[in-house]
Amino acid sequence: MGALALATAAPVAYVAGFTVFKLTGRRMPRLTGYRFVHATVTLASSPAWLFGLALLIGGMVVQSIVLTRLPVSVVVPMYGPVMLVLLLVAVTNFRERVTPGELGALSVLVLALLAFAAAGGLLSGPVAAGSGGTWHADAPLWRIALLIGPSLVFPLWLFVVRDSPVDGRHAKRVTGVAFGLGSGVLVGCAESSGAGIARLLQHDPSGWQHVLRTPHPYIVVVAGLLGAGLAQIGLQRCRLSVLIIMLAVGSKASLWLGGILVYGQPWPETPVKFALSAVGLVLAVASVFTIPRHEREDPVAEEPAAPVQTPFAPPAVQPGWGTMLSAPVVEPRPAVPRSAAAMRYAAMQDEAARRRPG
């Protein structure tokens, strides 16, 4: 299979995995990053969610292999057609309504991907495989820390602070933009480290001991699982179209910047390609600011709350046979007729009362 075909298969696996996440989230109790242990146990005990996670892992493996053959400037625009397919899936299968503002944001994102494609040479002709350029898997730790550190701050804030359970008047409004960007930068970090692992194993497939001495496998596990969990929390409340579009923006921007600034991917060679890359980055940021920030939260199955007991409240009735059987209906007794002697006595009293002088 060619490098371009692999580059197309990776985003398809991502979209399939996140679609499984959307379907699975409807049958799960409400998940929050604040209740981290509860969310972890719920996700780990769901076979359907683990199947979606396997699809994501497969897409990440394919993505890592592609990045050893093609430059990152070519791989990033491959997500453009998949975003259009995703929009059709969200509208047809999940009955999601796409607002004019979201269509405008998607149009700006498509223009950004076209600019990246022109900068990567996709619009001028086929790209030869093997031109992936250098991918320094042995990058200095301080460079990797510059990539990982800021990428973890925003998602951790979402997990610990932003997703705390606050209801009522002070409830926080749900937004697919925040969840999409937060999970996207985590997925982008995992993709960058996955490409580093693929580069180390490209010429020596048995060199796992050297791989385990690098931070790459641990970044893949931590950032990948946190990104998948945050995406599931967002997909349980937000629309698929909004969250995945923002996830694509966050992950591909993190992958593109990380590949150039940390892992030694080539900068745009000519001033024209540099200008096109800058235009694409500006348009990608503009798509984030043009999409609506808040939306109505999707209904999620809530755990039944225990009834409040007070000293004067009647005891709660437990469900059982008593509540299933209807109470018997008591018919009123008919009036008992009086005897003849009683009736004559009453008539005599009435006659005596009439004869009594006024």
Side-chain angles (χ1 to χ4, degrees):
M1 185 181 293
L4 292 178
L6 287 175
T8 306
V12 171
Y14 280 146
V15 171
F18 287 119
T19 304
V20 173
F21 282 2
K22 182 66 176 179
L23 292 171
T24 307
R26 294 182 173 183
R27 298 188 295 268
M28 289 183 178
R30 182 186 178 93
L31 302 176
T32 62
Y34 188 81
R35 300 172 60 190
F36 181 78
V37 177
H38 171 264
T40 303
V41 172
T42 302
L43 296 178
S45 59
S46 173
W49 190 85
L50 294 177
F51 173 71
L53 182 63
L55 290 175
L56 293 184
I57 294 174
M60 188 175 298
V61 171
V62 173
Q63 178 94 351
S64 302
I65 297 174
V66 169
L67 286 172
T68 62
R69 304 182 182 182
L70 296 175
V72 67
S73 58
V74 175
V75 175
V76 168
M78 292 294 181
Y79 282 76
V82 179
M83 292 298 102
L84 299 178
V85 175
L86 172 67
L87 187 63
L88 293 177
V89 171
V91 172
T92 56
N93 290 359
F94 297 101
R95 301 294 188 267
E96 294 184 0
R97 296 183 58 186
V98 182
T99 63
E102 294 164 358
L103 287 177
L106 182 61
S107 302
V108 174
L109 181 59
V110 170
L111 292 177
L113 293 175
L114 288 176
F116 281 123
L122 280 176
L123 302 183
S124 59
V127 179
S131 60
T134 58
W135 193 279
H136 294 157
D138 294 323
L141 291 179
W142 66 269
R143 286 190 180 182
I144 298 177
L146 288 179
L147 173 66
I148 300 301
S151 300
L152 288 177
V153 171
F154 180 60
L156 287 178
W157 173 78
L158 278 174
F159 266 116
V160 179
V161 180
R162 179 61 174 80
D163 203 31
S164 58
V166 179
D167 298 324
R169 181 182 301 178
H170 302 286
K172 302 179 181 68
R173 300 182 68 183
V174 65
T175 169
V177 177
F179 283 106
L181 290 178
S183 56
V185 294
L186 289 171
V187 172
C189 290
E191 289 175 341
S192 300
S193 295
I197 295 175
R199 175 63 72 181
L200 291 175
L201 297 177
Q202 184 178 12
H203 302 293
D204 186 12
S206 61
W208 280 103
Q209 292 183 353
H210 177 58
V211 171
L212 294 177
R213 289 194 295 266
T214 66
H216 301 306
Y218 312 105
I219 294 175
V220 169
V221 173
V222 175
L225 290 180
L226 285 177
L230 188 58
Q232 177 61 76
I233 293 174
L235 286 172
Q236 196 181 47
R237 311 177 195 177
C238 311
R239 285 177 294 159
L240 175 69
S241 54
V242 175
L243 191 139
I244 298 301
I245 289 174
M246 291 298 101
L247 187 144
V249 172
S251 61
K252 298 312 125 189
S254 175
L255 178 64
W256 187 74
L257 292 174
I260 292 178
L261 299 177
V262 178
Y263 294 99
Q265 281 286 293
W267 285 87
E269 299 87 357
T270 63
V272 175
K273 291 185 178 181
F274 185 85
L276 288 173
S277 300
V279 169
L281 188 60
V282 171
L283 290 176
V285 174
S287 67
V288 175
F289 286 98
T290 54
I291 201 165
R293 284 292 174 277
H294 302 102
E295 53 185 311
R296 182 175 299 175
E297 184 171 356
D298 287 349
V300 179
E302 296 283 352
E303 297 179 356
V308 179
Q309 293 291 338
T310 61
F312 302 99
V317 179
Q318 298 296 331
W321 291 105
T323 57
M324 298 176 61
L325 300 177
S326 58
V329 179
V330 180
E331 297 290 342
R333 293 183 178 181
V336 179
R338 293 183 294 178
S339 61
M343 294 175 64
R344 286 197 299 268
Y345 178 75
M348 292 174 59
Q349 285 187 334
D350 291 340
E351 184 178 358
R354 286 197 300 269
R355 293 179 179 178
R356 193 176 303 156

